């Protein structure tokens, strides 16, 4: 069952201007160390940050709150599997909100996809509740 859907579109040039103006203050407020390391290794630094910004916005929408009600930017973080597939992790208030949304006997799975085509970066997040099946003995 679908618990939430969110999408966001971010302007890469706007993120670049924010990086130029606020630098580490912006990076450290919004992005985890893992997200910063990934972004700084990429050829398109601003585009990589913009996709992660969009993913955080999309995740907050999928959680049904947007960026309010106590959710923090770093409560949502994007990393990548070895295949390159993006994965969303939630902690803090976002994890609490996700737990509250998840019906008993289910586990929540966050699906995320990212794309960019300069000057736009887009993210789509779908939160699924999957029935937990006990292993038979």
């Amino acid at each position: 069952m679908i618990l939430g859907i969110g999408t966001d579109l971010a302007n890469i040039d706007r993120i670049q201007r924010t990086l130029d103006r606020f630098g580490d203050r912006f990076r450290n407020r919004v992005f985890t160390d893992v997200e910063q390391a990934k972004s700084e290794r990429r050829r398109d630094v601003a585009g990589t940050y913009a996709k992660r910004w969009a993913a955080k916005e999309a995740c907050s929408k999928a959680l049904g709150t947007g960026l309010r009600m106590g959710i923090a930017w770093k409560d949502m973080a994007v990393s990548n599997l070895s295949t390159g597939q993006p994965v969303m992790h939630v902690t803090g208030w976002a994890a609490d909100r996700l737990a509250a949304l998840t019906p008993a006997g289910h586990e929540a799975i966050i699906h995320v996809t990212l794309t960019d085509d300069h000057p736009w970066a887009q993210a789509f997040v779908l939160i699924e509740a999957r029935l937990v099946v006990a292993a038979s003995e």
Side-chain angles (χ1 to χ4, degrees):
M1 113 185 38
I2 296 173
L3 298 179
I5 300 171
T7 188
D8 192 67
L9 188 65
N11 184 286
I12 296 169
D13 294 331
R14 180 175 154 248
I15 297 296
Q16 182 63 65
R17 287 190 302 272
T18 303
L19 287 165
D20 292 343
R21 183 171 178 193
F22 297 105
D24 285 343
R25 186 170 147 210
F26 171 65
R27 284 182 195 88
N28 294 332
R29 178 174 173 245
V30 176
F31 303 100
T32 66
D33 292 342
V34 170
E35 290 172 311
Q36 289 182 49
K38 171 76 172 184
S39 298
E40 295 297 328
R41 283 194 310 266
R42 300 299 302 260
R43 182 172 45 92
D44 182 10
V45 172
T48 305
Y49 277 121
K51 286 186 281 190
R52 278 148 180 75
W53 171 280
K56 291 167 186 274
E57 288 274 7
C59 184
S60 71
K61 292 170 185 174
L63 289 168
T65 64
L67 285 161
R68 57 186 175 96
M69 297 176 62
I71 200 165
W73 287 104
K74 287 185 175 182
D75 285 349
M76 302 163 290
V78 177
S79 65
N80 295 81
L81 300 177
S82 61
T83 60
Q85 176 184 348
V87 179
M88 178 67 70
H89 306 277
V90 293
T91 58
W93 190 91
D96 294 343
R97 173 71 177 163
L98 182 60
L101 289 173
T102 306
H106 290 73
E107 64 178 336
I109 299 161
I110 303 174
H111 304 276
V112 60
T113 186
L114 309 173
T115 191
D116 66 294
D117 187 6
H118 196 90
W120 301 107
Q122 183 179 29
F124 184 82
V125 171
L126 183 138
I127 302 175
E128 170 191 9
R130 191 176 295 166
L131 186 62
V132 175
V133 179
S136 57
E137 295 179 24

